[in-house]
Amino acid sequence: MMVRKRYLRNCLLMMLLFAVMITGCYSNSNTNGTSSNSNQAKSVKNNTIKEYKLVPNGAPELAGGPENKNRNTQPLTLEELRKKYRSNFHFSGPSTPPRVALTFDDAPDQLFTPRVLDVLKEYKVKATFFVVGNRAQKHPDIINRIVKEGHILGNHTYNHPNLAKVSNTVFQREVSDTQQTIKKLTGKTMRYLRPPYGNITEEQIKWLVSKNISIVNWNVDSLDWKGLNAEQVLANVMGDVTAGAIVLQHSAGGEGEDLSGTVQALPQIIKQLRNQGIELVTVPELLKKPAYK
């Protein structure tokens, strides 16, 4: 009788031990395992579980959202564009030898352009004129005088729009129509373009480069378009000019613009630069590149 009780007790203990082992294994399985049938994934951080959705490719979604909703691509600044396209986008030239290029925008007209040409002829200075196509069409005689007296022509578009605000189609037509106009009048194919207001986009630069046209802005601004007097124009130019500079002035303007200050200041600008040992040259001479294509 005693043996039987001992036997039953041992059996009971073994059954209890077996039950404990089974329970431990089941617990470990639930802790370490994952459910493959779940429609949502879970991440554990700081003992908290955060649920997230899956994107169509099966990966967890990005917390901040997709790239196309977060990337804010800004166009490059003019300075950044100049650095990126330094071989084709010029604000100035080399500082040696000591040279400066005088440039005149918005020509031709019948009032100020001839007076600027008269001063340049008197002082035997060659300059660069960035001409507007429809004005060249209107005043072919002045365009021919510019070329005959040894100055260089550059493209300043046909209608003088703000290029950063027009379509690529309009931009290309503005440039091409001016090229064709000057070609018909002079037989020359211009190699340089100055965008009106100095504004241009990267896509436009790429197109110009493909056409072997370089962009020329400036690093000295006379601000003559403000209707300044001769003393003010002279101060603006001589206060900033250094060897290698490209100086912006105008030999024609918009409605109501008075450029008498530029005409009157020009002799003093020429004299003072020469007194400093600076040679006055055209843009192609300054950049050491051909004048026309």
Side-chain angles (χ1 to χ4, degrees):
M1 191 68 174
M2 181 67 70
V3 173
R4 185 176 180 181
K5 287 182 179 180
R6 186 179 299 170
Y7 174 78
L8 290 174
R9 186 178 62 186
N10 290 339
C11 288
L12 184 60
L13 290 172
M14 291 180 64
M15 291 174 65
L16 182 60
L17 180 61
F18 182 76
V20 171
M21 293 175 62
I22 292 297
T23 302
C25 291
Y26 180 79
S27 176
N28 289 338
S29 176
N30 281 347
T31 300
N32 298 326
T34 59
S35 173
S36 60
N37 296 324
S38 175
N39 292 327
Q40 292 184 323
K42 297 181 179 181
S43 64
V44 180
K45 184 178 181 181
N46 297 329
N47 296 324
T48 62
I49 298 177
K50 180 181 179 181
E51 296 184 354
Y52 51 77
K53 296 179 181 179
L54 299 179
V55 295
N57 64 12
E61 67 176 350
L62 302 172
E67 292 280 335
N68 60 12
K69 291 185 178 180
N70 287 274
R71 289 276 188 173
N72 185 18
T73 304
Q74 296 290 340
L76 298 180
T77 65
L78 287 176
E79 178 61 21
E80 290 169 337
L81 287 171
R82 183 190 68 81
K83 289 180 179 178
K84 186 173 182 179
Y85 298 94
R86 62 177 66 252
S87 296
N88 300 93
F89 195 179
H90 307 282
F91 284 64
S92 61
S95 58
T96 54
R99 293 175 166 182
V100 165
L102 299 181
T103 68
F104 298 88
D105 284 8
D106 298 350
D109 73 358
Q110 291 182 319
L111 178 59
F112 295 110
T113 305
R115 293 168 64 187
V116 168
L117 287 170
D118 289 344
V119 174
L120 295 174
K121 184 177 182 179
E122 179 182 354
Y123 288 90
K124 296 181 175 57
V125 172
K126 300 297 183 286
T128 305
F129 289 80
F130 289 96
V131 299
V132 178
N134 59 13
R135 292 181 172 186
Q137 192 77 52
K138 181 73 173 177
H139 303 293
D141 54 327
I142 301 178
I143 291 294
N144 286 321
R145 179 185 171 183
I146 291 172
V147 173
K148 182 179 179 180
E149 294 182 1
H151 306 293
I152 301 300
L153 296 175
N155 193 319
H156 201 41
T157 73
Y158 197 82
N159 296 292
H160 204 278
N162 187 335
L163 296 181
K165 297 182 178 181
V166 303
S167 68
N168 284 334
T169 300
V170 171
F171 157 71
Q172 293 173 18
R173 186 169 64 245
E174 286 282 336
V175 175
S176 298
D177 286 355
T178 307
Q179 291 289 92
Q180 293 171 13
T181 297
I182 296 302
K183 178 74 171 178
K184 289 178 182 179
L185 293 177
T186 69
K188 298 183 181 298
T189 301
M190 294 178 291
R191 183 185 175 90
Y192 302 95
L193 175 136
R194 172 169 287 162
Y197 317 106
N199 293 334
I200 196 166
T201 70
E202 184 168 11
E203 286 302 312
Q204 292 166 354
I205 292 175
K206 290 179 180 179
W207 184 83
L208 290 170
V209 170
S210 74
K211 301 298 181 181
N212 195 29
I213 298 175
S214 293
I215 303 93
V216 177
N217 273 3
W218 61 88
N219 66 337
V220 176
D221 191 347
S222 68
L223 299 177
D224 57 356
W225 53 269
K226 292 185 176 182
L228 305 181
N229 61 37
E231 291 75 16
Q232 291 170 318
V233 172
L234 178 63
N236 287 341
V237 172
M238 298 309 300
D240 290 333
V241 73
T242 58
I246 296 177
V247 179
L248 169 62
Q249 294 178 268
H250 292 77
S251 63
E255 183 178 358
E257 290 184 12
D258 184 2
L259 298 171
S260 299
T262 279
V263 177
Q264 295 166 8
L266 189 54
Q268 283 302 314
I269 291 172
I270 294 170
K271 291 176 183 177
Q272 291 189 25
L273 288 174
R274 282 178 169 169
N275 287 340
Q276 293 179 18
I278 293 176
E279 181 184 5
L280 297 170
V281 297
T282 65
V283 165
E285 289 175 306
L286 181 68
L287 300 179
K288 302 176 183 178
K289 292 185 177 183
Y292 299 102
K293 291 194 284 185

